[in-house]
């Protein structure tokens, strides 16, 4: 466990010791521990985790080592608490570890899962769960739907224990602030754990039926496959987010004066889309459109983006190419879907005086009309190095003044309604250029900037 902070090391040891103490009653010769059931469940759990250590199969493993929860919750339903504690240990210790310290992570994983399964099994026994499945020997008929109450309580306790332990290791090992370590952990996991518990209940009912343990595989195998499908989706979604994050970071590095602008435009675009009642399937693409609307700045020379002083007509034309550059950059990214059109057309105006193609009215894609309003709103309400932020009501009034000529009135009204309902968080109004690039002077007040033109004289809101 070298390389682990002292507080984390002590915390891991205490969790492992607690798990060992919980398991001691099962080792008592007079405890009548069902070793056959325990061994079979532990072996199945180990078999679910071992593929992660194979280079060929590791990408196909559905979830992280030690986390095939339906089987662990089935163990909580089928075994007494002291025996259930032991089921997760072999799989957790033998499963793959993605980064060092290996020993510390394996011990933590084993202790964490053992305590969670033990607490879940104790809750299930306390609420009379075994009796609803036909008694300890399984001779009776399962009492459904009454068996669902202890199952739901068990899933909740399992989720809370895991969340408590996960937050505690973030505090001790990762030095995460106490106020942030547990935020959202239980809320995000309670729903999935409830689904896992229902699958575990079906597995336990079949296990105790006249068909015996082999019938439980009828539940185990489809659940394992569904976890694999979900894991593939999660990996793909994570890769998408990583792609977006990398592009945004590249833009922020190149144009440091507007750092954070992209994320806020994505948030404002999402507010407008929800107010318009857009389908949930389109909302992610709309948010991506807002976040990536300025990705074409990567194709604009840095000296132009960071120029201190007025732009020449040639430099202005170069700046106005950034929507086309952005479209070329993301053209091959299939998951962006409608977002690509928004990146290309977010500087079009309803009266046809925009760029790059001078589209008018409804010929401008809907996403582009949303992003145009979100972009202008954030530009006005953010403090830049060349001017102070405008209050939100002033910015909204300016958008309304330009509705019909520059902006789609529907989008402006939707943003106004969303702001009335949700407000605009303080984080969205932070200074976007608080880190001055080394060796580069800030633009003088009133100077022409790459995005807005003359700060004081340009008609309409900044773009």
């Amino acid at each position: 466990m070298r390389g682990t902070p002292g507080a984390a090391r002590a915390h891991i040891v205490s969790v492992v010791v607690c798990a060992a103490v919980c398991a001691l009653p099962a080792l008592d010769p007079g405890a009548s521990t069902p070793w056959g059931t325990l061994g079979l469940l532990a072996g199945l759990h180990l078999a679910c985790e071992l593929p992660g250590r194979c280079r060929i199969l590791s990408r196909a493993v559905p979830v992280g080592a030690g986390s095939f929860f339906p089987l662990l919750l089935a163990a909580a339903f089928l075994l007494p608490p002291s025996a259930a504690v032991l089921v997760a240990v072999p799989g957790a210790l033998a499963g793959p570890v993605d980064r060092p310290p290996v020993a510390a992570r394996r011990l933590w994983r084993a202790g964490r899962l053992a305590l969670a399964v033990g607490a879940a099994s104790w809750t299930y026994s306390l609420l009379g769960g075994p009796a609803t499945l036909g008694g300890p020997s399984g001779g009776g008929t399962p009492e459904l739907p009454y068996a669902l109450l202890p199952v739901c309580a068990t899933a909740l306790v399992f989720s809370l224990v895991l969340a408590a332990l996960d937050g505690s290791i973030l505090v001790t090992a990762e030095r995460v602030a106490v106020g942030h370590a547990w935020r959202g952990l239980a809320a995000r996991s309670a729903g999935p754990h409830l689904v896992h518990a229902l699958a575990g209940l079906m597995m336990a009912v079949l296990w105790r039926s006249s068909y015996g343990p082999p019938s439980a595989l009828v539940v185990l195998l489809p659940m394992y496959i569904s976890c694999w499908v979900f894991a593939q989706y999660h990996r793909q979604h994570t890769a998408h987010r990583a792609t977006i994050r990398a592009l945004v970071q590249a833009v922020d590095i190149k144009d440091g004066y507007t750092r954070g602008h992209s994320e806020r435009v994505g948030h404002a675009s999402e507010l407008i889309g929800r107010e318009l009642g857009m389908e949930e399937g389109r909302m992610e693409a709309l948010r991506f459109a807002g976040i990536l609307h300025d990705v074409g700045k990567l194709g604009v020379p840095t000296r132009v983006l960071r120029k201190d002083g007025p732009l020449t007509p040639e430099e202005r034309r170069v700046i106005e190419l950034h929507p086309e550059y952005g479209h070329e950059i993301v053209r091959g990214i299939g998951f962006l879907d409608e977002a690509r059109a928004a990146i290309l057309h977010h500087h079009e105006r309803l009266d046809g005086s925009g760029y790059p193609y001078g589209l008018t009215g409804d010929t401008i894609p809907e996403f582009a009309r949303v992003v145009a309003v979100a972009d202008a709103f954030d530009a006005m309400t953010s403090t830049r190095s060349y001017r102070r932020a405008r209050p939100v009501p002033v910015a909204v009034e300016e958008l309304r003044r330009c509705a019909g000529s520059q902006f789609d009135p529907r989008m402006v009204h939707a943003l106004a309604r969303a702001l009335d309902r949700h407000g605009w968080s303080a984080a969205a109004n932070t200074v976007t250029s608080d880190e001055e690039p080394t060796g580069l002077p800030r633009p003088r007040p009133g100077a022409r900037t790459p995005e807005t033109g003359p700060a004081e004289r340009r008609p309409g809101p900044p773009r």
Side-chain angles (χ1 to χ4, degrees):
M1 291 175 41
R2 285 181 297 179
T4 306
R9 192 181 303 121
H11 184 50
I12 292 170
V13 170
S14 66
V15 168
V16 170
V17 169
C18 287
V21 170
C22 292
L24 282 178
L27 304 178
D28 190 323
S32 300
T33 300
W35 290 107
T37 300
L38 192 159
L40 187 53
L41 288 169
L44 285 172
H45 185 257
L46 177 62
C48 290
E49 306 305 331
L50 283 180
R53 302 193 66 169
C54 174
R55 290 186 177 181
I56 298 175
L57 298 177
S58 59
R59 290 184 176 273
V61 174
V63 280
S67 57
F68 191 57
F69 295 143
L71 199 152
L72 296 180
L73 286 163
F77 302 147
L78 291 168
L79 296 171
S82 59
V85 167
L86 297 171
V87 170
V89 174
L93 292 176
V97 176
D98 55 356
R99 58 187 185 276
V102 174
R105 289 183 181 277
R106 283 186 172 148
L107 285 173
W108 167 253
R109 194 166 58 202
R112 164 183 173 270
L113 287 174
L115 283 182
V117 176
S121 181
W122 178 81
T123 302
Y124 191 68
S125 298
L126 185 67
L127 295 177
T132 64
L133 292 184
S137 61
T141 302
E143 299 177 11
L144 298 175
Y146 303 106
L148 296 179
L149 177 60
V151 165
C152 292
T154 299
L156 179 61
V157 169
F158 183 78
S159 184
L160 290 174
V161 172
L162 285 181
L165 292 173
D166 287 343
S168 66
I169 199 64
L170 288 176
V171 171
T172 56
E174 304 291 341
R175 309 295 172 86
V176 175
V178 173
H180 297 279
W182 287 274
R183 185 175 297 172
L185 286 178
R188 288 194 299 268
S189 59
H193 288 159
L194 179 59
V195 175
H196 295 154
L198 294 176
L201 174 64
M202 289 189 290
M203 187 174 178
V205 169
L206 289 171
W207 191 287
R208 287 187 171 181
S209 71
S210 59
Y211 298 101
S215 64
L217 295 178
V218 173
V219 175
L220 178 63
L221 185 58
M223 193 67 185
Y224 196 78
I225 292 173
S226 66
C227 284
W228 177 85
V229 172
F230 178 78
Q232 299 310 306
Y233 168 78
H234 180 70
R235 286 193 183 103
Q236 185 182 52
H237 189 68
T238 301
H240 292 172
R241 294 175 67 88
T243 301
I244 301 299
R245 186 165 54 249
L247 289 171
V248 170
Q249 286 175 345
V251 174
D252 284 349
I253 290 171
K254 185 160 187 175
D255 188 15
Y257 291 131
T258 57
R259 183 167 290 119
H261 170 67
S262 298
E263 288 85 354
R264 291 192 301 273
V265 172
H267 176 60
S269 298
E270 192 172 20
L271 287 178
I272 295 172
R274 292 197 184 282
E275 197 64 33
L276 293 173
M278 285 189 182
E279 297 176 2
E280 195 62 34
R282 301 178 69 202
M283 289 303 302
E284 185 173 56
L286 178 60
R287 185 167 58 86
F288 286 160
I291 291 173
L292 292 176
H293 72 286
D294 275 343
V295 70
K297 287 182 177 179
L298 294 174
V300 177
T302 304
R303 62 175 179 80
V304 176
L305 287 176
R306 296 180 173 180
K307 183 177 180 180
D308 178 26
L311 296 176
T312 66
E314 291 76 15
E315 289 169 338
R316 169 63 61 182
R317 283 193 289 271
V318 170
I319 284 286
E320 292 181 353
L321 287 173
H322 82 268
E324 294 176 276
Y325 291 154
H327 185 261
E328 285 299 310
I329 290 171
V330 303
R331 186 170 59 177
I333 305 179
F335 69 86
L336 289 178
D337 197 24
E338 291 182 84
R340 294 192 294 271
I343 292 168
L344 178 62
H345 296 294
H346 70 279
H347 277 299
E348 305 283 4
R349 299 168 59 116
L350 260 64
D351 60 10
S353 63
Y355 61 89
Y357 299 133
L359 301 183
T360 61
D362 289 342
T363 60
I364 303 172
E366 184 180 28
F367 275 18
R369 285 177 273 146
V370 170
V371 172
V373 172
D375 185 19
F377 173 74
D378 182 69
M380 286 189 286
T381 56
S382 298
T383 296
R384 302 286 175 86
S385 55
Y386 48 86
R387 57 149 175 80
R388 299 181 66 83
R390 301 187 193 185
V392 168
V394 174
V396 171
E397 189 57 37
E398 184 68 6
L399 289 172
R400 284 178 171 146
R401 186 179 70 82
C402 297
S405 58
Q406 182 172 351
F407 304 115
D408 187 330
R410 285 181 61 242
M411 310 310 173
V412 174
H413 295 157
L415 178 61
R417 290 195 304 268
L419 293 174
D420 288 340
R421 184 176 304 178
H422 304 289
W424 189 244
S425 68
N429 291 323
T430 54
V431 176
T432 59
S433 56
D434 53 349
E435 294 181 20
E436 181 174 340
T438 303
L440 291 173
R442 293 183 181 271
R444 298 185 301 275
R448 182 186 297 269
T449 63
E451 276 294 299
T452 64
E456 302 297 331
R457 298 188 299 275
R458 181 178 177 87
R463 303 177 61 195

